[in-house]
Amino acid sequence: KLPVPALVSILHRVSGAVLFLFFIPLLLLALGASLASSESFAGLQATLGHPLSKILLLGFAWAYLHHFCAGIRHLFMDMHKGIDLQSSRLSAKIVMAVSLVLTLLIGIKLW
């Protein structure tokens, strides 16, 4: 069984890779499409209004929020704060909870 701190660390790396390799290029393509013409902007709006697009956006939102929260956790650990086992487990659980709750709130607003 994988400990929660290890899972958070692995997910931090995976979410960073997903954001860099997929989200940023898609975001730039969407920005380009939205600025090209009013028809392409309307097409982008229609595409992003589809439920599958919303689920994909929700996944990207979670990846960003998890990466952000875990990054803050790692910054504190770099300053030698919360590096003992109990604090590390607690901060990992907090990162998971905060990223999921914030994603849920965004999902409620997005849908």
Side-chain angles (χ1 to χ4, degrees):
K1 184 178 176 183
L2 197 61
V4 178
L7 179 64
V8 167
S9 182
I10 291 168
L11 288 175
H12 181 249
R13 293 173 189 191
V14 169
S15 64
V18 166
L19 290 170
F20 181 74
L21 296 173
F22 297 106
F23 182 66
I24 292 174
L26 287 175
L27 184 65
L28 292 173
L29 284 172
L31 178 64
S34 71
L35 297 175
S37 69
S38 58
E39 293 83 20
S40 62
F41 179 74
L44 181 63
Q45 277 185 317
T47 300
L48 294 178
H50 193 274
L52 289 177
S53 295
K54 289 183 179 184
I55 290 172
L56 182 67
L57 288 174
L58 200 59
F60 284 138
W62 174 82
Y64 173 76
L65 291 167
H66 178 80
H67 192 76
F68 181 78
C69 294
I72 292 172
R73 176 180 179 262
H74 284 289
L75 285 173
F76 276 102
M77 292 174 73
D78 286 344
M79 295 185 296
H80 302 287
K81 307 240 186 271
I83 57 174
D84 60 284
L85 186 59
Q86 185 178 2
S87 298
S88 178
R89 286 181 178 162
L90 178 63
S91 66
K93 289 176 185 176
I94 290 171
V95 164
M96 291 296 284
V98 168
S99 65
L100 289 172
V101 167
L102 289 175
T103 303
L104 180 65
L105 292 174
I106 288 173
I108 290 169
K109 179 70 175 169
L110 185 65
W111 225 271

